Amino acid sequence: MKNRPWTTDSRFPILWSQWDKGRENESSVIYHMGTGDTHQLDVLSAMILQIVESGPVSTNELARRLSTQSGLDADDDFYLYIENTLSRFQQLNLISHAV
Amino acid sequence: MIISSLPFKQFKDRVSSSGISFRVGPFSVNVRSSIDTVISGIYLLYSNYHILDDDFIDFWIHLQQPKNLRRWYRPQVVFNLDGFQPFKPLPLSQAFAFFEWGLNWAVAKHANRYLLLHSAVLEKNNRALILPAPPGSGKSTLCAALSLSGWRLLTDEMALTQLSDGMIRPLARPVSLKNESINIIRAFSKEAVIGNIAKDTTKGDVAHLKADKQAVSDQSCPAPQWLVSPVYTPEAKAVLEPMDKAEMFMHTVNNCFNYNVLGPDAFHATTRLVEQCDCYHFSYSQLDDAIGLFDKLAFES
Amino acid sequence: MNRQNRIIQVVKNPEIVKTYDLRAFDLLKRQAQAADLLAYLQFLFEQHDLLAELPDKFLEHMETARYYANAQHRAVLWEVDRIEKALSSCDIPVIFLKGAAYQLSQIPFSKTRIFSDIDILVPKQKLESVENALSRNGWSMGKVSAYDQRYYRQWMHEIPPMRHLRRNTVIDVHHTILPETSRLHPDPGQLMSESVKVPDWDNVFVLAPVDMVLHSATHLLHEGEFHHALRDLVDLHEMIKFFSTESIFWQQLYERAKQQQLLRPLYYAILFINKLFGTSIPQWFMQKIEKSRAIFPINSIMTELFLIASTSIHDSCTLPGNTLASWLLYIRGHYLRMPLYLLVPHLLRKSFVSEK
């Protein structure tokens, strides 16, 4: 299970609006065409979702890319944060495990 | 021709027979009722609205007493929108307020050319101040006071943001005041014309402040300029604090009537709205301070 | 007073709106609102390139209705996805019926069709496992009285509707398209084996076109409720317009109706849409199915009652006799579904329950 990649469903796209992009106070809101729900995302969550959106990706690979993008060390806390975020996205039906 | 140009007797006959049609913002409404408080309430608070003889009417409204035996010991009123009853009957004493709530509902369900926000909107120098807020935030009181202090009232209850161009369409209606607000606004201005108080409604005591003539006749659509989330805070000084766009986005969505219906269009319209506006948190306790602050804001920009 | 049903008028001949004054548009709007057909009219006028002929105020109400239809369209796609996933453990094809199926088949008008429940068809022996899978995934039967439970399970073709607790959507699970007690017994096995897979989904199916039409036709005459009869007639009219572009359609439809013993309901359904909307039907087909009509005078009484009840959707077009016509057809709808000895207690019970 742990190594099954994460994916978004292209039949139910996600719409984005972002402000102060690339800055520390960057903020985003998204609309999911399936659930019709709207969510506010902080800068790291937004990066995670965008990585999954760009194509199926395993948790390990995602951590590696996020670490490069954000300049944060891929330590245990970082890993835990990513796992929590992914499971929250899954609960919100934004992402699922690729079949 | 406006409603006050009809003598009361003639007005009453018309409302209770074929109903009277008049223009409310972009909508046409036909009201038929033989209930006295409805007739006199409309005659007082809608006196400046234009009478229509259009054949196409947006909202056919009929308020009547249900024909059952209860009318002898517990008189009630039914709100009927073209044969459909969206609500359970209310006590007859609340008939005029029921008309106001029913019309709000009718607009909220039938106006998807607009992003509909639960919000007051006022205008100065052709710029719109939008105050989206849940009930209990003091929005209506603040709106009433601003409308009595040189700001043009566009709505106290429902902002009509045009999906086509993002401008705000006026929908000036009587301002709904609850409980202490009724006396606060009476004391605030001698010019305030307030209708009968409906007692013990689900919202407490309710009365309506008449919208002034200018607000009713001016149909120009200002551009949104300030998006402000008001919170009445006892004892607090009036303070405006900049609010994050994403946070204001969520606040706006939470105060939107038709967000789910419009779906992606609502998402885009909300994005445009928060981008067009300066966004603020606002806390206040004194109306005079609040008005001073908004006047300053309007003057500076 | 003019008691015309304007919806029927424009469905039959959309160009007629060019002669409408504002009062006629006002009535058309009100009738179409009452019948949940305003979004459909927008589609119809768009298709006939007539939108430019219409007053802006009327357009505004149609656009408003269209937004509701679009929102529903999005919600249905999501619901289909959720249902497919919830039933993945049941090892059955998930076959959608009615509104959701029209949408999945991309029949053009289906984007404007307002409906409330999602209907699926599953093999009878899988009912229990489907019910359990739905329960595990957030659907619930809510409070259903023991009497209603038995009514549904024993005499109807359904288990009680289940509601999703969070999304508040309702699913109706069927194992046949007509009640067990009905005198007609279309074979669900054949419906299932000839169902068609929907692209973009792994395990989502709809009935074959002829079965979809037959199902809709049969329902028209076997439902007790007439609130949606006009909408159901529009469904059939649009479906036939869409499917009959395939030349083999009429032959297939006739053969399937005969095989499934559904010629009589098909005859009436076709007769009604042809009478009301002028739906074009090949003459040979009409002649062939005409043999299945009921004997005179039942035939003409039925036709009259149905037309009165189905077209009286708003005060402005309610025809004299509507209440009686609806009541007689209501009884008839139940009579077709249940043996009389069951029907009488059921109707009695219904009238007591509704008095509360």
Side-chain angles (χ1 to χ4, degrees), chain B residues 23 74 77 99 107 117 125 155 167 196 224 239 241 267 285:
Chain B
R23 175 153 300 285
R74 200 206 225 174
V77 52
F99 163 67
V107 173
L117 304 179
N125 306 328
T155 176
M167 306 295 256
N196 284 337
V239 183
E241 273 177 296
F267 182 82
S285 60

Side-chain angles (χ1 to χ4, degrees), chain B:
Chain B
M1 194 164 86
I2 59 175
I3 284 180
S4 63
S5 56
L6 288 179
F8 182 71
K9 173 78 174 61
Q10 204 182 328
F11 173 79
K12 182 175 176 169
D13 288 348
R14 192 144 151 197
V15 178
S16 48
S17 57
S18 62
I20 191 152
S21 303
F22 52 96
R23 175 153 300 285
V24 182
F27 306 111
S28 52
V29 179
N30 178 285
V31 188
R32 189 157 59 91
S33 182
S34 36
I35 297 169
D36 285 336
T37 50
V38 173
I39 296 169
S40 59
I42 293 177
Y43 197 69
L44 173 70
L45 296 171
Y46 286 82
S47 66
N48 294 319
Y49 290 66
H50 278 269
I51 299 176
L52 302 168
D53 352 278
D54 293 18
D55 285 325
F56 191 100
I57 295 293
D58 291 307
F59 306 122
W60 292 92
I61 292 170
H62 183 197
L63 289 131
Q64 88 233 72
Q65 287 186 253
K67 288 194 178 57
N68 58 29
L69 289 174
R70 292 176 78 136
R71 74 182 185 275
W72 300 110
Y73 60 92
R74 200 206 225 174
Q76 288 183 315
V77 52
V78 173
F79 177 91
N80 185 310
L81 182 71
D82 195 24
F84 178 64
Q85 289 171 17
F87 310 103
K88 292 208 167 106
L90 286 181
L92 184 61
S93 60
Q94 300 175 21
F96 179 76
F98 205 11
F99 163 67
E100 289 292 329
W101 298 330
L103 182 53
N104 286 344
W105 182 87
V107 173
K109 290 286 174 191
H110 297 92
N112 290 335
R113 273 188 183 176
Y114 309 92
L115 182 73
L116 299 170
L117 304 179
H118 188 240
S119 172
V121 182
L122 298 117
E123 176 261 337
K124 200 160 223 183
N125 306 328
N126 211 22
R127 288 167 189 191
L129 163 66
I130 305 169
L131 300 158
S137 55
K139 161 182 66 79
S140 285
T141 321
L142 181 59
C143 170
L146 283 162
S147 77
L148 292 161
S149 311
W151 288 72
R152 168 168 66 124
L153 172 75
L154 276 91
T155 176
D156 83 308
E157 188 71 32
M158 203 179 321
L160 308 181
T161 313
Q162 298 181 159
L163 293 179
S164 58
D165 62 4
M167 306 295 256
I168 310 291
R169 192 86 190 235
L171 180 68
R173 304 256 309 276
V175 178
S176 159
L177 299 171
K178 283 157 226 123
N179 305 316
E180 314 83 72
S181 296
I182 302 169
N183 283 329
I184 292 175
I185 294 301
R186 271 213 181 100
F188 182 80
S189 168
K190 287 196 177 64
E191 289 162 40
V193 177
I194 296 174
N196 284 337
I197 298 176
K199 297 239 179 234
D200 303 323
T201 76
T202 50
K203 305 175 183 194
D205 291 354
V206 172
H208 289 86
L209 167 73
K210 186 172 182 171
D212 70 53
K213 202 168 178 169
Q214 157 71 9
V216 173
S217 63
D218 189 345
Q219 292 298 312
S220 62
C221 304
Q225 176 73 42
W226 306 283
L227 199 46
V228 176
S229 160
V231 182
Y232 175 81
T233 317
E235 314 284 316
K237 276 174 62 176
V239 183
L240 276 171
E241 273 177 296
M243 187 165 171
D244 181 72
K245 298 268 187 204
E247 201 186 328
M248 181 52 95
F249 187 105
M250 297 307 283
H251 176 73
T252 307
V253 169
N254 289 333
N255 287 286
C256 183
F257 289 104
N258 58 350
Y259 188 83
N260 289 327
V261 180
L262 302 182
D265 283 3
F267 182 82
H268 297 309
T270 310
T271 300
R272 172 161 68 185
L273 184 65
V274 301
E275 282 177 358
Q276 274 176 308
C277 287
D278 306 330
C279 302
Y280 297 102
H281 277 293
F282 178 58
S283 48
Y284 76 104
S285 60
Q286 299 300 313
L287 288 175
D288 289 327
D289 294 353
I291 288 157
L293 205 59
F294 285 118
D295 282 344
K296 195 162 156 258
L297 194 68
F299 179 74
E300 280 169 0
S301 59

Side-chain angles (χ1 to χ4, degrees), chain C residues 317-345:
Chain C
C317 58
T318 299
L319 296 168
N322 172 51
T323 317
L324 180 64
S326 293
W327 170 240
L328 290 174
L329 287 164
Y330 178 76
I331 293 184
R332 186 182 170 282
H334 279 271
Y335 165 67
L336 287 173
R337 288 203 267 209
M338 287 179 138
L340 198 60
Y341 70 93
L342 290 170
L343 175 67
V344 174

Side-chain angles (χ1 to χ4, degrees), chain B residues 23 26-28 55-60 82-83 108-114 163 260-265, chain C residues 21-23 25-26 29-31 33 55-61 63-65 67-68 70-71 74 314-315:
Chain B
R23 175 153 300 285
F27 306 111
S28 52
D55 285 325
F56 191 100
I57 295 293
D58 291 307
F59 306 122
W60 292 92
D82 195 24
K109 290 286 174 191
H110 297 92
N112 290 335
R113 273 188 183 176
Y114 309 92
L163 293 179
N260 289 327
V261 180
L262 302 182
D265 283 3
Chain C
D21 56 14
L22 279 174
R23 184 166 161 71
F25 278 114
D26 182 70
K29 172 206 91 176
R30 297 163 72 182
Q31 293 176 359
Q33 257 169 358
D56 187 60
K57 263 294 165 191
F58 181 73
L59 289 173
E60 182 175 2
H61 283 275
E63 282 164 33
T64 283
Y67 268 112
Y68 284 107
N70 288 344
R74 293 191 300 272
H314 182 263
D315 273 351

